Amino acid sequence: MNLWSRLRQSFWFIPALLCLAAIILAESLIYIDQRIGDADLGALGALITRVGESGSRDLLGAIAGSMLTVASTTFSITIAVLALSSSTYGPRLVRNFMADRGNQFVLGIFVATFLYSLMVLRSIRVLSDSSPGDYFVPHLAVNVAVLLAVLSIAVLVYFIHHISDSVQVWTLAEQVRADLLGAVDRLYPEDASEADGEGTGGPAAEKVADRDGAALTSVETGYVQGVDVASLLAFAAEHDLVVDLRVRPGEYVAPGAVVAVLRSAHPVDENGRRSIRRAIRVGSARTPEKDVEFPALLLEEMAVRALSPGTNDPYTAINALDNLATGLVALAGRPVPSPYRYDAQGMLRVIAPRASLIDVLEHVLDAMRFYAVAHPTVLHRTLDLIAQVGGAAHDPTLRPRLDAHVRDIVDAFSATSPQGRDLEELNRHASRVRRELSAGREPHA
C-alpha cells in the first residue's frame, strides 16, 4: 500500500487538513480585522454584525463548546456503527468506514470549527492597560464563526443521513464491488501488453525458471500488499539476474519464508537483497489496491455471514453474489497478464505470478456449496453466477471446471434430502447452465 492509500484510510488525515485550514483562516481574518479597524466597509459593513466584546466572547464560547460536544457525539456514533458492522458483516469491512471521505469530512468540520472559534476567542484582548474598556474585537472573524456554525448544522444533518445509509447492506456491497472493479481495471487491463516489459513465456522462459537459484527469505511478518515489478525489473536488468517471485499480493509471509528465488551468475549481496525486499511490500492487513482476491473475499464473507443460522438472511447473500458477479464477469473478460517480464534487450528478468479468475471463483463456489446448501434460492443465484462468468470467460478452459462445480452443487444439495420439487428445479436450472457452458454462448437473461 502506497503512502496516499495509507493516508486516505487513516481517520485523521482530512480532519488534520481542515484543522490546519481553520488555523490559517482564523489568523488571516484576525489580521484583516486589525488592518481595517473601524474603517467604513460600505455594503460589506452592513453584513457584519458587531456584538461587542462580551457578546463576541459568549458567542465564540457557545460555538466552541457546542462543536466539541457534537464532535464527540458523532465520533461515538461512528464507533458504534463500526462495532455493529464488524459483528454483522465482517471485521474486514471496517476499513471502508475508516476510508469513507464523508465520515472524515464531518468530523473534520466539527473539530475545525471548534479550533477556529478558540483561535478567534484568544484574539479578543484589551488594547491598552491605561484604557481597560478599549478592546480589540475581530468582528469579521466572529461573523465567519457564525457561518461555520450554520455550516456545521448542515453537516450534522448530512451525517445523520450518511451514517444511516452507510450501514445498509447494499451500500456496503456496492463499496466493495467498486473496490473489486477497480482492482480488475488496475491489474487486468483490456490490453494485457500495457504492463511494462511483459511478454509471453515459452521454452526459453521455462528453462530459466527451472534453473536453481538462491532463496530470498522474508524478514517481515504480514500480508503481501503489493509488488513493485518496475523496480524489480530495473534492478534485475542492472545486476543481470532473474527474480522469480514465489509470493503474490494477498499471501501471508512469516520471517524465513521464501519470497523469491534469485538466479544469477554472481551472488547477490545483502544490499541487493534489501532492495528486492523493499519492492515486496508487506503489511499487517490485505488491501484491494494490488489484491483482486481481497474484495471478492469480502463479498463472499458477507454472503457466508448472512447464511449463518444466527442471521439466516439469504437475500443479503444474494445481494452479495449479485455484486460479486459484476466484478467476476469483468474479470472473466480480461486476459490474465503474463508473469514474465523482460528488459529492453529481451532478456527475462522477473517472474511475477498473479491471481487468475479460477483462483477467485473456486473459493467462492466452494463456500456457497458448503454454506448455502440449505438455501435453494442462494444456490440458484450461484448457478446464475456460474452461467454469467462462463459466458463472459476469456479462457475457454475455464468452462469445464465450472461445469464440475455445477455438478458438485447439485450433488451437495441432493445429499441434504430436499423436497422433490426443490431438487427438480435445481436440476433443471443446473442442466440449462451446463448446456450454456458446453455451447460457450452468452447466458439467457
Side-chain angles (χ1 to χ4, degrees), residues 84-326:
L84 173 65
S85 300
S86 63
S87 62
T88 304
Y89 304 115
R92 279 157 289 277
L93 286 173
V94 169
R95 63 173 298 277
N96 289 345
F97 288 94
M98 300 296 292
D100 190 301
R101 295 291 183 85
N103 292 336
Q104 297 173 5
F105 177 77
V106 168
L107 181 63
I109 284 292
F110 292 149
V111 177
T113 302
F114 166 76
L115 187 58
Y116 175 88
S117 301
L118 285 186
M119 297 298 295
V120 176
L121 181 60
R122 64 185 281 272
S123 70
I124 301 176
R125 63 188 184 276
V126 178
L127 292 177
S128 174
D129 293 337
S130 60
S131 301
D134 190 7
Y135 289 93
F136 168 71
V137 180
H139 297 290
L140 177 60
V142 171
N143 280 264
V144 171
V146 176
L147 294 178
L148 289 177
V150 174
L151 173 63
S152 298
I153 295 175
V155 169
L156 178 61
V157 175
Y158 161 78
F159 173 75
I160 295 172
H161 167 78
H162 179 73
I163 204 69
S164 301
D165 181 67
S166 63
V167 296
Q168 303 296 324
V169 63
W170 48 81
T171 303
L172 293 171
E174 286 176 0
Q175 291 173 348
V176 182
R177 182 191 66 194
D179 288 340
L180 177 57
L181 291 173
V184 171
D185 290 336
R186 286 190 300 272
L187 304 176
Y188 302 86
E190 294 184 8
D191 183 4
S193 62
E194 292 179 4
D196 293 336
E198 183 179 320
T200 58
E206 294 175 358
K207 183 178 180 180
V208 172
D210 289 338
R211 293 205 316 249
D212 293 333
L216 177 70
T217 57
S218 172
V219 296
E220 299 178 277
T221 299
Y223 293 93
V224 178
Q225 295 180 337
V227 178
D228 190 348
V229 177
S231 296
L232 288 179
L233 185 62
F235 179 87
E238 180 182 353
H239 294 82
D240 190 23
L241 60 90
V242 177
V243 180
D244 186 359
L245 294 172
R246 296 303 172 90
V247 294
R248 67 186 187 207
E251 294 186 352
Y252 185 83
V253 296
V258 177
V259 295
V261 175
L262 310 180
R263 300 186 174 91
S264 173
H266 307 286
V268 180
D269 60 20
E270 190 58 35
N271 288 333
R273 288 173 171 264
R274 280 197 294 267
S275 298
I276 297 174
R277 289 191 182 102
R278 281 196 298 269
I280 305 173
R281 296 188 296 275
V282 177
S284 59
R286 299 176 69 171
T287 63
E289 279 73 22
K290 299 292 184 180
D291 181 8
V292 73
E293 294 175 283
F294 181 59
L297 174 64
L298 294 181
L299 289 170
E300 175 195 319
E301 183 180 11
M302 288 182 65
V304 168
R305 282 177 171 267
L307 296 174
S308 64
T311 305
N312 196 24
D313 183 8
Y315 298 104
T316 293
I318 291 174
N319 180 268
L321 290 176
D322 289 339
N323 286 276
L324 186 58
T326 303

